[in-house]
Amino acid sequence: MIVWLNGAFGAGKTTVARELVGLLPESVLFDPGLVGAGLRTALPRKRLDEVADCQDLPAWRRLVVDTAAALHGEVGGALVTPMTLLRQEYRDEIFGGLAARRIPVRHVLLEVGETVLRERIARREGGPGDEEGRAAVRARCLGRLPAYRRALDWLRADAYTLDTSSLTPAQTAERVAAALRAGNGACEIVQTPEPTAETVAAGVLLFDEEDRVLLVDPTYKPGWEFPGGVVEPGEPPARAGVREVAEELGLRLDAAPRLLVVDWEPPRPPGYGGLRMLFDGGRLPAAAARGLLLPGAELRGWRFVTEDEAAGLLPPVRMERLRWALRARERGVTLNLEAGTPVGT
């Protein structure tokens, strides 16, 4: 398993991780910061200047998953991973990627009261050997406190939270080890196998009485999405969409939905691309909308949104697909897209 120790910069995660490795048989320390160091060496300065942090690089997130999976296969025991992870979409991408490789994740938040945290940062001696360098490290830790405060709500909801304000690193490690033995911190993410070739996926657009479209927030990948999923071998796409709506939302559609768009998504490594279909599931009465159910392991939320609101939630590729699907619905036609652009019209 992966034991992901999360918390504010300067909270002492790495020190606790070293203590924890001594308590968990056959465990090893995995520091994703080394992946960032490698990318800072390999990537051109121009690309590095485009991001505020290495975590903003898609390559960093992919390499963290790939490296963790490779190390896990080598050692067989737990990987203790101390790394601040404050953006929920990055959590989804990394933890979802590990789940797809059948590697369970235990998410533990080491929470520290801000007064104590500031004291720890003031005493911090890591980083460069000169005082100027240490001061720069302390300044970076303090500068990231606002982002940590903003992330606390979702962190506390997602992770097993341990208040370490009055604990030594050794005591914290002992508490974490006990929590792991009790099964705490498990992330019940749907383990969707990674594709090995092009796939066919079916999404269903559902609308409320104000004609807003329903979007869902998956726990296993970044960004909002349409209800739906991958079409299983031998399964008709429309039926796959109906099945996914029932599984994800507890909603049974009375009739096969009408096809709005079929979009060919080109392969972009590490993705394989394939066909993406969007169907019109119709308008839901208010009572049906109130009865929507969510499987906690797969979806954390849903909402009806306008087209403009959807643009702030969907990744660009899905948003373009939605725009054309809405135009197709208005016109009563079906559109054939290639990489989000209509062809043959």
Side-chain angles (χ1 to χ4, degrees), residues 8-341:
F9 292 92
K13 299 180 298 298
T14 301
T15 306
V16 171
R18 294 194 183 103
E19 295 279 354
L20 186 59
V21 166
L23 299 176
L24 301 180
E26 299 182 358
S27 63
V28 297
L29 181 68
F30 167 50
D31 181 4
L34 297 175
V35 175
L39 286 172
R40 283 192 291 271
T41 301
L43 289 175
R45 173 51 54 186
K46 179 182 178 182
R47 178 66 182 115
L48 293 172
D49 288 342
E50 292 172 349
V51 298
D53 188 275
C54 275
Q55 292 191 9
D56 298 328
L57 295 166
W60 182 85
R61 303 190 295 275
R62 290 200 298 268
L63 284 172
V64 166
V65 173
D66 291 341
T67 305
L71 285 174
H72 190 269
E74 288 286 340
V75 302
L79 297 188
V80 180
T81 306
M83 174 55 60
T84 300
L85 196 60
L86 302 182
R87 294 187 58 168
Q88 196 169 24
E89 64 269 30
Y90 294 172
R91 172 268 184 216
D92 295 347
E93 186 174 348
I94 294 171
F95 289 12
L98 293 168
R101 291 162 170 80
R102 302 296 189 263
I103 302 174
V105 179
R106 300 287 190 91
H107 191 193
V108 179
L109 173 63
L110 305 183
E111 188 167 2
V112 186
E114 186 160 331
T115 300
V116 176
L117 179 60
R118 287 178 177 274
E119 291 173 355
R120 291 183 183 179
I121 291 172
R123 296 194 303 266
R124 187 181 176 106
E125 295 184 358
D130 61 295
E131 179 54 35
E132 184 178 344
R134 288 195 294 270
V137 170
R138 292 193 288 267
R140 282 199 297 272
C141 291
L142 292 172
R144 292 169 175 178
L145 274 178
Y148 172 69
R149 292 192 206 101
R150 290 192 296 270
L152 265 178
D153 283 347
W154 80 259
L155 285 172
R156 288 167 175 160
D158 191 76
Y160 174 75
T161 303
L162 179 63
D163 187 343
T164 69
S165 301
S166 60
L167 300 177
T168 66
Q171 291 170 333
T172 300
E174 290 170 0
R175 300 280 182 91
V176 172
L180 295 174
R181 288 193 292 270
N184 293 312
C187 292
E188 301 296 338
I189 303 172
V190 173
Q191 295 181 334
T192 304
E194 287 206 326
T196 57
E198 291 188 2
T199 56
V200 177
V204 179
L205 301 185
L206 300 163
F207 300 86
D208 68 1
E209 294 176 338
E210 299 176 33
D211 240 17
R212 298 177 301 175
V213 66
L214 179 70
L215 299 182
V216 295
D217 185 12
T219 61
Y220 55 91
K221 63 180 177 180
W224 287 64
E225 182 58 283
F226 319 109
V230 174
V231 179
E232 297 178 354
E235 185 180 32
R239 191 175 302 170
V242 171
R243 171 182 57 76
E244 289 283 350
V245 166
E247 291 175 358
E248 292 183 356
L249 301 171
L251 179 67
R252 302 198 175 276
L253 300 180
D254 295 329
R258 184 177 75 84
L259 180 63
L260 295 174
V261 299
V262 56
D263 186 13
W264 174 75
E265 186 175 284
R268 292 189 178 94
Y272 288 89
L275 293 179
R276 309 290 180 252
M277 300 181 182
L278 284 181
F279 294 87
D280 184 359
R283 188 174 286 120
L284 296 180
R290 287 193 297 268
L292 295 178
L293 303 174
L294 289 179
E298 187 168 357
L299 302 175
R300 67 166 59 90
W302 60 268
R303 67 175 72 169
F304 286 101
V305 297
T306 64
E307 184 174 343
D308 288 342
E309 290 169 339
L313 297 172
L314 291 173
V317 171
R318 292 176 211 154
M319 185 61 216
E320 195 64 19
R321 196 173 297 143
L322 174 63
R323 290 193 193 281
W324 286 113
L326 294 177
R327 302 295 86 76
R329 182 172 181 258
E330 292 168 358
R331 302 169 191 169
V333 299
T334 299
L335 294 176
N336 179 37
L337 312 179
E338 290 183 359
T341 301

